[in-house]
Amino acid sequence: MGNPGPSLAAHYDLRSQEKSIIAASKHGPLQSLTDRELAIADQPLTVYPYRLQRRVRAWVRFGPESIRVDAVIVRSTPKAAGIEFRAGDQRFRCWVWGNAVELVDEADGAR
């Protein structure tokens, strides 16, 4: 029967990730860095307009359950990234350490 085309494969990957996010979210609330960890008062904060938001893969934690998600970076400090990702009709936002984030090559597809 062969392999599905790139468009169909991307759709299956997205559906699989959505299911994984929903399952992980049942283990507890989405964790985010604290104000103390972010030290916003002492660090420069960058907020990215939509056209400058970059696609990333990031590790997030729901309660004790960690999962890697496709996201966009919407803000940052020198050591942390504010990311946003979706699962179905739910939008999730959190702060993670910068080393938990990997930029995605834009040639891999549109967000």
Side-chain angles (χ1 to χ4, degrees):
M1 199 161 152
N3 291 334
S7 178
L8 192 54
H11 173 74
Y12 288 144
D13 288 346
L14 178 63
R15 299 300 290 164
S16 176
Q17 184 175 124
E18 285 180 355
K19 288 180 183 179
S20 297
I21 292 169
I22 298 299
S25 71
K26 294 179 181 178
H27 292 277
L30 179 61
Q31 304 295 305
S32 187
L33 298 176
T34 65
D35 290 343
R36 181 176 171 213
E37 291 168 321
L38 290 170
I40 293 292
D42 303 323
Q43 300 290 321
L45 172 68
T46 302
V47 177
Y48 300 99
Y50 180 78
R51 66 182 181 81
L52 295 178
Q53 294 174 4
R54 302 283 309 272
R55 293 178 59 235
V56 296
R57 298 265 301 152
W59 285 101
V60 299
R61 187 176 302 274
F62 288 94
E65 182 76 18
S66 61
I67 184 172
R68 197 163 188 208
V69 298
D70 292 322
V72 292
I73 186 167
V74 295
R75 64 190 80 98
S76 68
T77 70
K79 295 183 180 182
I83 61 168
E84 181 176 298
F85 58 99
R86 294 183 179 272
D89 60 349
Q90 288 187 294
R91 181 175 68 169
F92 298 94
R93 296 181 86 163
C94 65
W95 282 96
V96 297
W97 291 117
N99 62 357
V101 176
E102 176 184 353
L103 287 174
V104 173
D105 184 5
E106 293 298 324
D108 290 342
R111 64 173 157 145

